[in-house]
Amino acid sequence: MNLPSHGSNPQHLFKAMGRSLPMHFIDFSANINPIGPPSTLKEKWNDFYREIMVYPDPLAVSLKDRIAVQEQISVDSILIGNGGAELITLVARFLSGKKVVIIEPAFSEYETACRANQCEIQYHQLKGPNFALNMDDLRSSISSADALFLCNPNNPTGIQYPKSTIISILEECEKQNCYVILDEAFYDFLVDYDSFIPYINSFSKLIIIRSLTKMFAIPGLRLGYMAAAATIITELSALQPHWSINTIALLAGELCIQDNEFIKVTQSYIRKERERLLSFFKQYHFVVTSTKVNFYLLRDPNLKEQIDFFDFLLQKGIIPRHTFNFPGLDGNWLRFAIKSKEENRMLMEVLKEWRYLH
């Protein structure tokens, strides 16, 4: 099967599966905030319209200033990007031809971007269902690598790695002159998250990538940022196309990063729905990862392969994210986003039906 390599755009998935897209469906494959964008964006939308005849600031000064104050770092240590995907692409170009280790399972874009830039790729595979990250197991891989990709909290498992483990990795990579690309695309779904951005001042090889599209539900605008030592940011900036980020995305970003109340409301909602779902999965004997964010991996332990389960859900209009292109998962898990209460209820009803039949 030649299934789409990303979530969302379900029409492509149904075509690949040889099925017609149903009239009514729920897309659980994209990890976007189910609450939707902050209301301030709608309130300011007419103001944004007046700005579309103005070229965007190529240096994104205003947005960088706000992020610098919020994260307490220099503006010279920040690069604004057209979503996390562009930032990953820039890093891959920066690492062109280098030896790269990817801690798997992980966002497939790391491998795609690195292969496009002739990197030599090595996997460090974590084993389910716990997907524990052990520094001792990783040390030998780091010793011969130029860069390490690590997603925390992890996509697709939703697992948050201990801070002590991340620090150990940063220390070892610094000794071995190895870059660490720490993807924090979903960090703001974590309650009381202890940011690693201050550590760019202690670890010269640390590059942190963050997305603004997931928490603020603006994937159509494309916006993210990177934090690293100023020397790294200078080199990466030189690889970025001019006018990479549009004016409306920059204005939206300025509003979003100030909306702390929206973030708190989202975190509270996700926590409550996550607890409700996990309780259900336990009751009906599904295996689920120990997620701390707005998505999770799920599997039916009665099946070695999940393709029949996947196909059944599609027939019922429930669209999860397949995992065939996640090394080590190989389609044996399905990833679901946490959606609205009603949509989550409908998922549980379909899972009850599956369990009744199996």
Side-chain angles (χ1 to χ4, degrees), residues 33 35 37-40 66-67 69-71 187-193 210 212 215-216 225 252-269:
N33 189 338
I35 294 176
S39 59
T40 51
R66 292 181 187 276
I67 294 171
V69 171
Q70 180 175 289
E71 299 297 334
Y187 84 100
D188 39 9
F189 288 92
L190 297 168
V191 179
D192 299 325
Y193 183 61
R210 287 183 171 178
L212 294 176
M215 168 58 72
F216 300 108
Y225 66 93
E254 291 182 43
L255 286 176
C256 287
I257 64 169
Q258 299 176 81
D259 202 337
N260 292 323
E261 184 59 30
F262 177 82
I263 294 174
K264 289 178 181 177
V265 168
T266 297
Q267 289 173 343
S268 177
Y269 170 79

Side-chain angles (χ1 to χ4, degrees), residues 4-14 25-32 107 155-156 186 214 294-297 310 314 317-323 326 334-339 343 347:
S5 59
H6 289 275
S8 195
N9 302 122
Q11 67 274 18
H12 302 305
L13 173 63
F14 275 80
F25 60 85
I26 306 173
D27 187 1
F28 286 86
S29 70
N31 305 330
I32 302 300
F107 183 39
N155 178 15
F186 297 94
K214 308 299 192 302
N294 61 318
F295 57 89
Y296 52 89
L297 287 182
F310 182 53
L314 294 182
I318 299 292
I319 306 176
R321 169 71 160 86
H322 74 84
T323 60
F326 288 95
L334 301 176
R335 193 191 70 188
F336 294 81
I338 294 175
K339 304 282 282 184
E343 288 170 324
L347 168 63

Side-chain angles (χ1 to χ4, degrees), residues 242-280:
H242 212 55
W243 314 121
S244 176
I245 307 97
N246 70 75
T247 298
I248 294 178
L250 291 173
L251 292 171
E254 291 182 43
L255 286 176
C256 287
I257 64 169
Q258 299 176 81
D259 202 337
N260 292 323
E261 184 59 30
F262 177 82
I263 294 174
K264 289 178 181 177
V265 168
T266 297
Q267 289 173 343
S268 177
Y269 170 79
I270 293 296
R271 178 183 58 78
K272 291 175 183 176
E273 281 300 287
R274 186 172 61 235
E275 290 174 355
R276 185 165 74 105
L277 286 161
L278 294 180
S279 177
F280 170 85

Side-chain angles (χ1 to χ4, degrees), residues 172-217:
E172 185 65 23
C173 285
E174 191 76 8
K175 290 178 187 176
Q176 301 293 344
N177 199 33
C178 176
Y179 288 97
V180 178
I181 298 86
L182 183 59
D183 186 347
E184 294 189 328
F186 297 94
Y187 84 100
D188 39 9
F189 288 92
L190 297 168
V191 179
D192 299 325
Y193 183 61
D194 197 354
S195 173
F196 282 96
I197 282 186
Y199 289 92
I200 65 171
N201 297 316
S202 305
F203 297 100
S204 63
K205 300 289 185 177
L206 175 59
I207 300 172
I208 294 177
I209 295 175
R210 287 183 171 178
S211 171
L212 294 176
T213 64
K214 308 299 192 302
M215 168 58 72
F216 300 108

Side-chain angles (χ1 to χ4, degrees), residues 92 95-100 112-121:
L95 297 172
S96 181
K98 303 291 188 182
K99 185 172 182 179
V100 169
T112 301
C114 287
R115 287 205 182 280
N117 288 277
Q118 294 76 50
C119 294
E120 179 185 345
I121 298 173

